[in-house]
């Protein structure tokens, strides 16, 4: 009776140390420190290489650390070579394995008197991290995930793409940030890592910001009222050109601006009056879109220097609008392609700006000669007023 009690105590202690038995053969099973605390021992079967490969995929996808694979129907002389190939496939070709698996250890033995493999898998990413991976049909679906990550100021996003094709993720991030300056305060640096080979890939995107998440959220909360006010500033029943002009006035009259580049364009422009041509263009475009107006940004050069300006759709025709040039010349003005002297841009990427062709039958306002009988005075160009130099302020506020 005493001997029986000792045997039961020994068996219990072996179970508590995480050991398993394969007909007398001991296999160590030490959980990876980042994995789930409970010890997992799954049992699956495989009779050929394809089934063995599928079994390994399912174990990794579930974050399984310890498993027994029954190979009773697998040709005995091919089990070890098949397992070697499967381990190589799981760690290099299978996307989820290439991303998540640190090591795979297999040992051939028996279970219940039948041939079996004891498998131990360690991971470089926790089971909780595996659950955060986005499963996508193709790369185009990544746009929604990236948008959510940027607006939350997440440090990374991991995507499992079933039908992968090459995509410039860095450009995708930059484009989204430029189109949404009201919500994305800073464009992060992007590091892209690909895992696996073949049709499916795991794409790991790591985002690096110079400002903390809390600071960026504070910035967004401070510029949001400005964007809301811009929409209210626009006359609801006015013509498009009037609305574009009103938004121009709302933005350009806020400060005596300092022309400098900032990593937080919307915040620096709207809170401190500091920005470059790109900051003016992306903020103005966002305000126009919020007001229901079509406005895009154009990137090119002016007199050989990098320049960003806008292109607006006014009464069915596209026009160029360079806010800084308007400010220098005294007010809002829309320009056609032919008027954009010294500007260069990718003409194939944007609509033509040919301007409005006024029909001869269209009614026009009476001329000065018609109303007074006196000849009209010659146009006189007023000299440009001297430009005031703003005093640069601090780009960031203390929170």
């Amino acid at each position: 009776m005493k001997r029986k009690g000792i045997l039961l105590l020994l068996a219990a202690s072996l179970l508590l140390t995480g050991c398993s038995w394969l007909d007398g053969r001991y296999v160590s099973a030490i959980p990876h420190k980042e994995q789930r605390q409970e010890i997992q021992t799954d049992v699956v079967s495989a009779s050929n290489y394809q089934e063995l490969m599928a079994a390994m995929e399912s174990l990794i996808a579930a974050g399984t650390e310890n498993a027994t694979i029954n190979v009773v129907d697998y040709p005995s002389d091919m089990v070890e070579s098949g397992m070697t190939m499967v381990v190589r496939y799981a760690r290099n070709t299978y996307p989820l394995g290439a991303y998540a698996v640190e090591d795979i250890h297999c040992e051939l033995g028996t279970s219940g008197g039948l041939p079996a493999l004891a498998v131990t898998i360690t991971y470089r990413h926790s089971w909780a991290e595996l659950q955060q991976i986005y499963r996508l049909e193709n790369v185009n679906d990544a746009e929604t995930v990236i948008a959510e990550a940027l607006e939350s100021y997440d440090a990374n996003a991991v995507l499992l793409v079933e039908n992968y094709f090459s995509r410039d993720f860095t450009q995708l991030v930059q484009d989204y940030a430029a189109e949404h300056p009201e919500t994305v305060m800073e464009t992060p640096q992007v590091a892209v890592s690909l895992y696996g080979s073949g049709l499916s890939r795991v794409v790991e995107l790591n985002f690096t910001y110079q400002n903390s998440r809390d600071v960026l959220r504070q910035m967004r909360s401070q510029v949001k009222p400005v964007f809301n006010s811009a929409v209210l500033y626009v006359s609801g029943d006015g013509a498009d050109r009037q609305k574009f002009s009103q938004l121009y006035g709302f933005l350009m009259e806020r400060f005596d601006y300092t022309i400098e580049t900032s990593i937080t364009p919307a915040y620096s422009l709207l809170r401190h009056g500091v920005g470059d041509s790109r900051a003016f263009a992306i903020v103005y475009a966002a305000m126009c879109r919020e007001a229901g107006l079509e406005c895009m940004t154009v990137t090119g050069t002016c007199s050989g220097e990098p320049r960003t300006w806008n292109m607006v759709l006014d009464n069915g025709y596209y026009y160029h609008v360079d806010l800084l040039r308007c400010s220098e010349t005294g007010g809002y003005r829309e320009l056609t392609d032919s008027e954009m002297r010294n500007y260069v841009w990718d003409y194939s990427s944007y609509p033509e700006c040919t301007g409005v062709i006024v029909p001869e039958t269209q009614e026009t306002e009476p001329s000065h000669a018609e109303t007074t009988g006196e000849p009209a005075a010659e146009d006189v160009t007023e000299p440009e007023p001297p430009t005031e130099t703003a005093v640069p302020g601090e780009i960031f506020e203390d929170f």
Side-chain angles (χ1 to χ4, degrees):
M1 185 71 178
K2 182 178 180 180
R3 182 178 179 183
K4 182 177 180 182
I6 293 174
L7 291 175
L8 289 173
L9 180 61
L10 177 60
S13 65
L14 288 174
L15 288 173
L16 290 172
T17 56
C19 300
S20 59
W21 290 88
L22 295 181
D23 281 7
R25 299 195 56 177
Y26 170 82
V27 179
S28 176
I30 303 175
H32 191 267
K33 63 181 181 180
E34 293 184 350
Q35 302 305 304
R36 289 171 287 182
Q37 294 301 314
E38 69 270 18
I39 295 175
Q40 310 162 49
T41 304
D42 292 357
V43 180
V44 294
S45 299
S47 60
N48 54 52
Y49 175 76
Q50 294 297 329
E51 291 182 2
L52 192 59
M53 184 170 62
M56 185 63 72
E57 288 182 0
S58 65
L59 293 175
I60 293 172
T64 302
E65 296 174 336
N66 304 282
T68 298
I69 302 179
N70 293 324
V71 290
V72 61
D73 295 323
Y74 205 113
S76 58
D77 59 339
M78 300 179 64
V79 173
E80 290 190 4
S81 61
M83 197 67 224
T84 299
M85 290 189 294
V86 164
V87 169
R88 186 183 302 116
Y89 161 80
R91 295 189 60 186
N92 299 288
T93 304
Y94 179 49
L96 203 56
Y99 167 73
V101 171
E102 181 72 32
D103 192 22
I104 300 176
H105 176 72
C106 299
E107 189 172 349
L108 181 62
T110 59
S111 176
L114 301 174
L117 290 166
V119 180
T120 301
I121 307 173
T122 55
Y123 297 85
R124 64 173 64 94
H125 294 285
S126 69
W127 179 79
E129 289 176 308
L130 296 182
Q131 305 312 300
Q132 298 300 315
I133 296 176
Y134 293 89
R135 269 69 174 177
L136 306 179
E137 182 66 27
N138 57 61
V139 173
N140 291 333
D141 295 336
E143 296 181 11
T144 301
V145 176
I146 290 174
E148 293 176 357
L150 292 177
E151 297 198 3
S152 299
Y153 305 114
D154 292 337
N156 68 347
V158 183
L159 325 171
L160 175 57
V161 184
E162 294 298 333
N163 298 287
Y164 176 82
F165 56 85
S166 182
R167 184 74 183 269
D168 190 341
F169 290 100
T170 299
Q171 188 63 54
L172 185 60
V173 168
Q174 293 174 352
D175 289 345
Y176 187 84
E179 292 171 5
H180 299 83
E182 72 280 11
T183 55
V184 182
M185 294 296 100
E186 179 186 342
T187 304
Q189 297 294 317
V190 185
V192 183
S193 300
L194 298 176
Y195 299 90
S197 60
L199 187 61
S200 300
R201 299 288 180 88
V202 166
V203 182
E204 182 181 23
L205 304 173
N206 289 299
F207 308 119
T208 302
Y209 294 91
Q210 294 190 37
N211 292 282
S212 70
R213 172 183 281 187
D214 288 342
V215 168
L216 292 171
R217 286 176 173 173
Q218 288 277 2
M219 291 180 180
R220 182 167 60 193
S221 69
Q222 293 186 39
V223 301
K224 181 177 174 57
V226 182
F227 280 98
N228 293 341
S229 297
V231 176
L232 298 175
Y233 195 79
V234 175
S235 175
D237 55 356
D240 286 349
R241 183 164 301 194
Q242 178 184 352
K243 295 178 181 179
F244 283 122
S245 180
Q246 288 171 335
L247 287 174
Y248 164 82
F250 175 86
L251 178 59
M252 301 306 292
E253 294 172 7
R254 288 181 60 81
F255 294 98
D256 290 329
Y257 287 99
T258 300
I259 307 303
E260 291 181 6
T261 299
S262 170
I263 61 172
T264 55
Y267 174 79
S268 297
L269 190 70
L270 298 178
R271 296 288 296 176
H272 295 284
V274 176
D276 54 12
S277 66
R278 177 179 177 275
F280 279 99
I282 64 174
V283 168
Y284 182 70
M287 288 180 173
C288 289
R289 288 192 294 267
E290 288 290 320
L293 301 168
E294 184 171 335
C295 179
M296 67 187 77
T297 58
V298 183
T299 301
T301 63
C302 178
S303 300
E305 297 295 327
R307 189 83 159 195
T308 306
W309 63 94
N310 296 104
M311 187 176 288
V312 301
L313 180 62
D314 179 5
N315 196 29
Y317 292 88
Y318 285 98
Y319 295 91
H320 298 273
V321 176
D322 185 338
L323 300 187
L324 294 184
R325 179 174 175 178
C326 291
S327 179
E328 293 168 357
T329 57
Y332 179 81
R333 186 182 177 191
E334 298 175 350
L335 301 173
T336 63
D337 286 343
S338 61
E339 295 174 292
M340 294 292 286
R341 289 181 290 274
N342 300 323
Y343 287 83
V344 177
W345 65 96
D346 183 357
Y347 306 102
S348 64
S349 299
Y350 301 95
E352 287 186 297
C353 298
T354 56
V356 179
I357 301 175
V358 180
E360 293 182 0
T361 57
Q362 180 173 329
E363 294 183 1
T364 59
E365 294 183 2
S367 67
H368 179 77
E370 291 173 336
T371 57
T372 65
E374 300 176 1
E378 293 182 0
D379 291 336
V380 178
T381 303
E382 295 289 339
E384 293 185 2
T387 302
E388 296 183 4
T389 302
V391 178
E394 293 293 329
I395 294 181
F396 304 111
E397 291 184 343
D398 293 328
F399 299 112

